[in-house]
Amino acid sequence: EDVSLVGAKEITFGVAWETSEPNLDLDSLVVIFDKWGNHVETIDGLSRTSSRCGSINHHGDDVTGGGDGDAETIGINLTTIEKRTEVLVLVINIMRGNFKKVESIRSRIICEVPDNDAHFGTGKQIQPEDEMLVFEQTCVAPDENSKNTAIMLRLRRIRGGHNRWVAQKMGNLCF
C-alpha cells in the first residue's frame, strides 16, 4: 500500500530495535537507485554519512537500539534530491551477527518540514513531527532467523512530479 508524502518537504527515517543480546549492533542505511534500478549510492552512517547532493544525511550509529525514541535517524530533503534518483530503500543490516537475537524492529517516516502549500491525502495539513508511516516487525521465531539484512521501507518518486513521493512498508528479511 502506497502512502503519499505530498505535504512534506523534509522527512526523517527513524529506526529502533529490541534485542536479547546487548552487544548486537544493527545499522540503518539508505540505498539509492535511479529509474532503471541502477544503484546510485549508499548512505550507511559509517563510511558514508551524506549523499553527494547533500539531501540525505545519516545522523550517526547507535550500537544499542533500545530505549525511547529512534536509535538511528536519517534526514532526507525531498525537494533537493537529485533528479535521477527514483527510489530510496531503508535497510537494516547486522554486520556481525543475524536476526536470531532481535525481538523487534520499528521504522518510521516523520515529517520534519511541512509544505504549507500542499495537503496530505484528505486535505489535512501536515505538522512537524507527524508520523507519516510506521512499520513494526516482531521476529516471531527469532531463534530460527539466520538472516542479517531487513528491507524496511521504500520511497518512490511519482512519475511526472519532481517533488512527489510515495512510501511503502517492505519488511523483507533477506540475505
Side-chain angles (χ1 to χ4, degrees), residues 17-124:
W17 57 88
E18 295 291 332
T19 70
S20 59
E21 183 178 315
N23 295 324
L24 187 63
D25 180 21
L26 282 69
D27 296 308
S28 63
L29 52 117
V30 174
V31 184
I32 303 165
F33 299 94
D34 66 15
K35 67 181 178 182
W36 296 283
N38 297 316
H39 177 255
V40 174
E41 63 183 322
T42 299
I43 310 306
D44 62 13
L46 301 170
S47 63
R48 190 95 185 257
T49 59
S50 294
S51 61
R52 286 188 284 267
C53 65
S55 297
I56 303 169
N57 295 289
H58 197 297
H59 299 295
D61 183 29
D62 181 318
V63 297
T64 62
D68 294 333
D70 298 316
E72 295 189 12
T73 58
I74 301 169
I76 302 170
N77 185 331
L78 297 173
T79 64
T80 59
I81 291 177
E82 290 179 309
K83 289 182 182 180
R84 71 179 176 151
T85 298
E86 290 284 324
V87 175
L88 306 173
V89 180
L90 176 64
V91 176
I92 306 298
N93 191 42
I94 304 173
M95 294 297 287
R96 292 179 196 90
N98 53 46
F99 283 95
K100 285 182 180 181
K101 303 289 183 182
V102 176
E103 296 165 0
S104 65
I105 307 170
R106 181 175 193 266
S107 58
R108 63 189 187 138
I109 298 175
I110 307 121
C111 176
E112 293 298 334
V113 178
D115 182 349
N116 294 325
D117 297 326
H119 297 284
F120 181 58
T122 62
K124 175 187 168 201

